[in-house]
Amino acid sequence: MRFRTRFTLTFVLILSAVVVLILGLSSAKLVTVTPLAEFSKSGVQVDLSLEQAGAAPCVLTARYTPLREHFHVYSKDLPPDGINGLGRPTRLDIVSGLSPAGELTADATTSDFQTQGLDEVLPVYPDGPLTLRLPVSVTGDGNAQVTVSYMACSAITCLPPTAETLDINVKACS
């Protein structure tokens, strides 16, 4: 009799846990991703999209993917002209039609990097892709402009710095 009671109680507890898990997953906020623009220039593929999760602010997302092995991009916090002219920040900046609803964040942390033959130490992200995210709200009719900028380098060479202003439609965020 004790075995049957323990078995029944264990079964009921496990079943309850499964039901709670299923209900929790079904009520979780799903993120909708809307592609906005893409281009490839100066050795980097850039993909711009809009992320939405329920009533939370929309998030403008830019993914920077160096197309060459062992290349990195610089920190978003680097000064606009670099350090003593070296490097350029990886940025996602609003030109019009949007306003920031939070801080620009990166999905990676920087490390200090010293280029061979130079004394300057520069903050860079790890080699490979980097994603920047900026919570935004729409301030106009859904047509907006943003500027993405970056510079990709390896330990021995750099590609030209790039800044592209993109026209995007963010009406889905209104």
Side-chain angles (χ1 to χ4, degrees), residues 27 29 36 46 48-51 54 70 81 83 85 93 96 99 108 110-111 113 137-138 141-142 151 155 158:
S27 66
K29 294 180 182 177
L36 298 174
V46 178
L48 191 66
S49 60
L50 190 66
E51 296 177 353
H70 306 298
D81 292 326
I83 297 175
D93 295 303
S96 65
S99 67
T110 60
S111 60
F113 181 78
S137 59
V138 177
D141 63 0
M151 183 176 180
C158 287

PDB file of all heavy atoms in Angstrom, residues 27 29 36 46 48-51 54 70 81 83 85 93 96 99 108 110-111 113 137-138 141-142 151 155 158:
ATOM      1  N   SER A  27       2.915  30.945 -22.281  1.00  0.00           N
ATOM      2  CA  SER A  27       2.646  32.353 -21.992  1.00  0.00           C
ATOM      3  C   SER A  27       3.893  33.211 -22.150  1.00  0.00           C
ATOM      4  O   SER A  27       3.833  34.412 -21.958  1.00  0.00           O
ATOM      5  CB  SER A  27       2.087  32.491 -20.574  1.00  0.00           C
ATOM      6  OG  SER A  27       3.076  32.116 -19.627  1.00  0.00           O
ATOM      7  N   LYS A  29       6.761  35.429 -23.781  1.00  0.00           N
ATOM      8  CA  LYS A  29       6.681  36.390 -24.878  1.00  0.00           C
ATOM      9  C   LYS A  29       7.533  35.907 -26.047  1.00  0.00           C
ATOM     10  O   LYS A  29       8.725  35.682 -25.896  1.00  0.00           O
ATOM     11  CB  LYS A  29       7.170  37.752 -24.420  1.00  0.00           C
ATOM     12  CG  LYS A  29       6.278  38.376 -23.385  1.00  0.00           C
ATOM     13  CD  LYS A  29       6.813  39.729 -22.983  1.00  0.00           C
ATOM     14  CE  LYS A  29       5.944  40.338 -21.912  1.00  0.00           C
ATOM     15  NZ  LYS A  29       6.467  41.603 -21.440  1.00  0.00           N
ATOM     16  N   LEU A  36      15.235  44.348 -41.915  1.00  0.00           N
ATOM     17  CA  LEU A  36      15.065  45.708 -42.422  1.00  0.00           C
ATOM     18  C   LEU A  36      15.995  46.044 -43.579  1.00  0.00           C
ATOM     19  O   LEU A  36      15.596  46.689 -44.529  1.00  0.00           O
ATOM     20  CB  LEU A  36      15.280  46.726 -41.290  1.00  0.00           C
ATOM     21  CG  LEU A  36      14.316  46.656 -40.113  1.00  0.00           C
ATOM     22  CD1 LEU A  36      14.767  47.621 -39.022  1.00  0.00           C
ATOM     23  CD2 LEU A  36      12.898  46.947 -40.562  1.00  0.00           C
ATOM     24  N   VAL A  46      26.580  43.312 -42.956  1.00  0.00           N
ATOM     25  CA  VAL A  46      25.744  43.962 -41.944  1.00  0.00           C
ATOM     26  C   VAL A  46      24.294  43.582 -42.201  1.00  0.00           C
ATOM     27  O   VAL A  46      23.807  43.712 -43.325  1.00  0.00           O
ATOM     28  CB  VAL A  46      25.903  45.501 -41.981  1.00  0.00           C
ATOM     29  CG1 VAL A  46      24.986  46.155 -40.958  1.00  0.00           C
ATOM     30  CG2 VAL A  46      27.355  45.901 -41.743  1.00  0.00           C
ATOM     31  N   LEU A  48      20.518  44.344 -40.602  1.00  0.00           N
ATOM     32  CA  LEU A  48      19.736  45.197 -39.706  1.00  0.00           C
ATOM     33  C   LEU A  48      18.337  44.618 -39.586  1.00  0.00           C
ATOM     34  O   LEU A  48      17.714  44.275 -40.601  1.00  0.00           O
ATOM     35  CB  LEU A  48      19.689  46.609 -40.278  1.00  0.00           C
ATOM     36  CG  LEU A  48      19.157  47.709 -39.383  1.00  0.00           C
ATOM     37  CD1 LEU A  48      20.090  47.936 -38.198  1.00  0.00           C
ATOM     38  CD2 LEU A  48      19.019  48.996 -40.179  1.00  0.00           C
ATOM     39  N   SER A  49      17.831  44.504 -38.357  1.00  0.00           N
ATOM     40  CA  SER A  49      16.485  43.964 -38.152  1.00  0.00           C
ATOM     41  C   SER A  49      15.824  44.650 -36.963  1.00  0.00           C
ATOM     42  O   SER A  49      16.451  45.395 -36.219  1.00  0.00           O
ATOM     43  CB  SER A  49      16.537  42.450 -37.946  1.00  0.00           C
ATOM     44  OG  SER A  49      17.319  42.126 -36.821  1.00  0.00           O
ATOM     45  N   LEU A  50      14.544  44.355 -36.809  1.00  0.00           N
ATOM     46  CA  LEU A  50      13.736  44.894 -35.723  1.00  0.00           C
ATOM     47  C   LEU A  50      13.201  43.725 -34.920  1.00  0.00           C
ATOM     48  O   LEU A  50      12.615  42.793 -35.484  1.00  0.00           O
ATOM     49  CB  LEU A  50      12.579  45.713 -36.309  1.00  0.00           C
ATOM     50  CG  LEU A  50      11.763  46.551 -35.350  1.00  0.00           C
ATOM     51  CD1 LEU A  50      12.614  47.675 -34.764  1.00  0.00           C
ATOM     52  CD2 LEU A  50      10.569  47.148 -36.091  1.00  0.00           C
ATOM     53  N   GLU A  51      13.411  43.738 -33.616  1.00  0.00           N
ATOM     54  CA  GLU A  51      12.904  42.694 -32.729  1.00  0.00           C
ATOM     55  C   GLU A  51      11.754  43.256 -31.908  1.00  0.00           C
ATOM     56  O   GLU A  51      11.858  44.369 -31.386  1.00  0.00           O
ATOM     57  CB  GLU A  51      14.002  42.193 -31.788  1.00  0.00           C
ATOM     58  CG  GLU A  51      15.150  41.520 -32.481  1.00  0.00           C
ATOM     59  CD  GLU A  51      16.263  41.098 -31.524  1.00  0.00           C
ATOM     60  OE1 GLU A  51      16.208  41.451 -30.322  1.00  0.00           O
ATOM     61  OE2 GLU A  51      17.194  40.433 -31.983  1.00  0.00           O
ATOM     62  N   GLY A  54       6.019  41.392 -27.477  1.00  0.00           N
ATOM     63  CA  GLY A  54       4.843  41.874 -26.760  1.00  0.00           C
ATOM     64  C   GLY A  54       4.804  43.385 -26.649  1.00  0.00           C
ATOM     65  O   GLY A  54       5.020  44.102 -27.611  1.00  0.00           O
ATOM     66  N   HIS A  70      39.809  35.704 -38.616  1.00  0.00           N
ATOM     67  CA  HIS A  70      40.679  36.420 -37.675  1.00  0.00           C
ATOM     68  C   HIS A  70      40.522  37.935 -37.747  1.00  0.00           C
ATOM     69  O   HIS A  70      41.449  38.670 -37.414  1.00  0.00           O
ATOM     70  CB  HIS A  70      42.149  36.028 -37.849  1.00  0.00           C
ATOM     71  CG  HIS A  70      42.378  34.555 -37.771  1.00  0.00           C
ATOM     72  ND1 HIS A  70      42.105  33.805 -36.649  1.00  0.00           N
ATOM     73  CD2 HIS A  70      42.811  33.669 -38.702  1.00  0.00           C
ATOM     74  CE1 HIS A  70      42.375  32.535 -36.878  1.00  0.00           C
ATOM     75  NE2 HIS A  70      42.802  32.415 -38.122  1.00  0.00           N
ATOM     76  N   ASP A  81      36.728  59.254 -33.819  1.00  0.00           N
ATOM     77  CA  ASP A  81      37.928  59.229 -34.663  1.00  0.00           C
ATOM     78  C   ASP A  81      38.971  58.253 -34.158  1.00  0.00           C
ATOM     79  O   ASP A  81      40.151  58.347 -34.508  1.00  0.00           O
ATOM     80  CB  ASP A  81      38.516  60.640 -34.772  1.00  0.00           C
ATOM     81  CG  ASP A  81      37.611  61.575 -35.557  1.00  0.00           C
ATOM     82  OD1 ASP A  81      36.947  61.103 -36.508  1.00  0.00           O
ATOM     83  OD2 ASP A  81      37.547  62.767 -35.208  1.00  0.00           O
ATOM     84  N   ILE A  83      41.446  56.231 -31.393  1.00  0.00           N
ATOM     85  CA  ILE A  83      42.434  56.692 -30.410  1.00  0.00           C
ATOM     86  C   ILE A  83      43.680  57.087 -31.181  1.00  0.00           C
ATOM     87  O   ILE A  83      44.304  56.248 -31.838  1.00  0.00           O
ATOM     88  CB  ILE A  83      42.736  55.593 -29.373  1.00  0.00           C
ATOM     89  CG1 ILE A  83      41.468  55.267 -28.575  1.00  0.00           C
ATOM     90  CG2 ILE A  83      43.875  56.022 -28.450  1.00  0.00           C
ATOM     91  CD1 ILE A  83      41.596  54.128 -27.596  1.00  0.00           C
ATOM     92  N   GLY A  85      43.725  58.539 -33.879  1.00  0.00           N
ATOM     93  CA  GLY A  85      43.446  58.252 -35.281  1.00  0.00           C
ATOM     94  C   GLY A  85      43.359  56.779 -35.625  1.00  0.00           C
ATOM     95  O   GLY A  85      43.078  56.429 -36.771  1.00  0.00           O
ATOM     96  N   ASP A  93      23.461  54.247 -35.050  1.00  0.00           N
ATOM     97  CA  ASP A  93      22.989  55.573 -34.645  1.00  0.00           C
ATOM     98  C   ASP A  93      21.721  55.957 -35.383  1.00  0.00           C
ATOM     99  O   ASP A  93      21.601  55.747 -36.592  1.00  0.00           O
ATOM    100  CB  ASP A  93      24.078  56.617 -34.908  1.00  0.00           C
ATOM    101  CG  ASP A  93      25.308  56.390 -34.047  1.00  0.00           C
ATOM    102  OD1 ASP A  93      25.172  56.373 -32.817  1.00  0.00           O
ATOM    103  OD2 ASP A  93      26.413  56.215 -34.616  1.00  0.00           O
ATOM    104  N   SER A  96      16.899  59.742 -38.049  1.00  0.00           N
ATOM    105  CA  SER A  96      15.560  60.331 -37.977  1.00  0.00           C
ATOM    106  C   SER A  96      14.500  59.244 -37.849  1.00  0.00           C
ATOM    107  O   SER A  96      14.738  58.082 -38.185  1.00  0.00           O
ATOM    108  CB  SER A  96      15.280  61.173 -39.228  1.00  0.00           C
ATOM    109  OG  SER A  96      15.249  60.341 -40.379  1.00  0.00           O
ATOM    110  N   SER A  99      13.490  57.333 -31.738  1.00  0.00           N
ATOM    111  CA  SER A  99      14.229  57.865 -30.593  1.00  0.00           C
ATOM    112  C   SER A  99      14.644  56.681 -29.726  1.00  0.00           C
ATOM    113  O   SER A  99      13.935  55.666 -29.665  1.00  0.00           O
ATOM    114  CB  SER A  99      13.386  58.866 -29.801  1.00  0.00           C
ATOM    115  OG  SER A  99      12.313  58.227 -29.180  1.00  0.00           O
ATOM    116  N   ALA A 108      28.815  41.047 -26.816  1.00  0.00           N
ATOM    117  CA  ALA A 108      30.156  40.579 -26.470  1.00  0.00           C
ATOM    118  C   ALA A 108      30.853  41.665 -25.658  1.00  0.00           C
ATOM    119  O   ALA A 108      30.478  42.833 -25.713  1.00  0.00           O
ATOM    120  CB  ALA A 108      30.962  40.268 -27.729  1.00  0.00           C
ATOM    121  N   THR A 110      34.512  43.644 -24.670  1.00  0.00           N
ATOM    122  CA  THR A 110      35.747  44.014 -25.364  1.00  0.00           C
ATOM    123  C   THR A 110      36.964  43.508 -24.606  1.00  0.00           C
ATOM    124  O   THR A 110      36.897  43.191 -23.418  1.00  0.00           O
ATOM    125  CB  THR A 110      35.865  45.549 -25.515  1.00  0.00           C
ATOM    126  OG1 THR A 110      35.870  46.137 -24.219  1.00  0.00           O
ATOM    127  CG2 THR A 110      34.739  46.108 -26.350  1.00  0.00           C
ATOM    128  N   SER A 111      38.050  43.468 -25.335  1.00  0.00           N
ATOM    129  CA  SER A 111      39.351  43.205 -24.722  1.00  0.00           C
ATOM    130  C   SER A 111      40.332  44.208 -25.315  1.00  0.00           C
ATOM    131  O   SER A 111      40.073  44.801 -26.366  1.00  0.00           O
ATOM    132  CB  SER A 111      39.804  41.763 -24.992  1.00  0.00           C
ATOM    133  OG  SER A 111      39.915  41.532 -26.373  1.00  0.00           O
ATOM    134  N   PHE A 113      43.535  45.394 -27.264  1.00  0.00           N
ATOM    135  CA  PHE A 113      44.265  44.858 -28.412  1.00  0.00           C
ATOM    136  C   PHE A 113      45.355  45.845 -28.795  1.00  0.00           C
ATOM    137  O   PHE A 113      45.093  47.042 -28.920  1.00  0.00           O
ATOM    138  CB  PHE A 113      43.305  44.653 -29.590  1.00  0.00           C
ATOM    139  CG  PHE A 113      43.950  44.079 -30.811  1.00  0.00           C
ATOM    140  CD1 PHE A 113      44.235  42.729 -30.898  1.00  0.00           C
ATOM    141  CD2 PHE A 113      44.291  44.906 -31.868  1.00  0.00           C
ATOM    142  CE1 PHE A 113      44.827  42.196 -32.025  1.00  0.00           C
ATOM    143  CE2 PHE A 113      44.889  44.377 -33.001  1.00  0.00           C
ATOM    144  CZ  PHE A 113      45.158  43.015 -33.075  1.00  0.00           C
ATOM    145  N   SER A 137      11.741  53.786 -29.998  1.00  0.00           N
ATOM    146  CA  SER A 137      10.323  54.082 -30.205  1.00  0.00           C
ATOM    147  C   SER A 137      10.220  54.919 -31.470  1.00  0.00           C
ATOM    148  O   SER A 137      11.123  55.682 -31.808  1.00  0.00           O
ATOM    149  CB  SER A 137       9.730  54.809 -28.997  1.00  0.00           C
ATOM    150  OG  SER A 137      10.419  56.007 -28.753  1.00  0.00           O
ATOM    151  N   VAL A 138       9.101  54.757 -32.163  1.00  0.00           N
ATOM    152  CA  VAL A 138       8.880  55.451 -33.430  1.00  0.00           C
ATOM    153  C   VAL A 138       8.416  56.879 -33.123  1.00  0.00           C
ATOM    154  O   VAL A 138       7.529  57.086 -32.304  1.00  0.00           O
ATOM    155  CB  VAL A 138       7.828  54.709 -34.283  1.00  0.00           C
ATOM    156  CG1 VAL A 138       7.538  55.459 -35.567  1.00  0.00           C
ATOM    157  CG2 VAL A 138       8.310  53.294 -34.576  1.00  0.00           C
ATOM    158  N   ASP A 141       6.257  58.666 -38.996  1.00  0.00           N
ATOM    159  CA  ASP A 141       5.267  57.856 -39.708  1.00  0.00           C
ATOM    160  C   ASP A 141       5.711  56.418 -39.948  1.00  0.00           C
ATOM    161  O   ASP A 141       5.053  55.674 -40.658  1.00  0.00           O
ATOM    162  CB  ASP A 141       4.931  58.526 -41.041  1.00  0.00           C
ATOM    163  CG  ASP A 141       6.131  58.620 -41.973  1.00  0.00           C
ATOM    164  OD1 ASP A 141       7.247  58.162 -41.598  1.00  0.00           O
ATOM    165  OD2 ASP A 141       5.965  59.158 -43.088  1.00  0.00           O
ATOM    166  N   GLY A 142       6.832  56.021 -39.365  1.00  0.00           N
ATOM    167  CA  GLY A 142       7.340  54.663 -39.552  1.00  0.00           C
ATOM    168  C   GLY A 142       8.507  54.586 -40.508  1.00  0.00           C
ATOM    169  O   GLY A 142       9.161  53.555 -40.621  1.00  0.00           O
ATOM    170  N   MET A 151      34.743  49.339 -38.495  1.00  0.00           N
ATOM    171  CA  MET A 151      36.029  49.126 -39.160  1.00  0.00           C
ATOM    172  C   MET A 151      36.511  47.747 -38.722  1.00  0.00           C
ATOM    173  O   MET A 151      36.532  47.446 -37.533  1.00  0.00           O
ATOM    174  CB  MET A 151      37.039  50.196 -38.742  1.00  0.00           C
ATOM    175  CG  MET A 151      38.363  50.095 -39.419  1.00  0.00           C
ATOM    176  SD  MET A 151      39.377  51.502 -38.896  1.00  0.00           S
ATOM    177  CE  MET A 151      40.861  51.161 -39.808  1.00  0.00           C
ATOM    178  N   ALA A 155      45.240  41.245 -36.812  1.00  0.00           N
ATOM    179  CA  ALA A 155      46.460  41.607 -36.086  1.00  0.00           C
ATOM    180  C   ALA A 155      47.442  42.362 -36.965  1.00  0.00           C
ATOM    181  O   ALA A 155      48.298  43.086 -36.451  1.00  0.00           O
ATOM    182  CB  ALA A 155      47.118  40.354 -35.514  1.00  0.00           C
ATOM    183  N   CYS A 158      44.137  46.402 -41.578  1.00  0.00           N
ATOM    184  CA  CYS A 158      42.782  46.923 -41.381  1.00  0.00           C
ATOM    185  C   CYS A 158      42.143  47.205 -42.727  1.00  0.00           C
ATOM    186  O   CYS A 158      42.825  47.539 -43.698  1.00  0.00           O
ATOM    187  CB  CYS A 158      42.813  48.226 -40.577  1.00  0.00           C
ATOM    188  SG  CYS A 158      43.181  47.979 -38.834  1.00  0.00           S
TER     189      CYS A 158
END
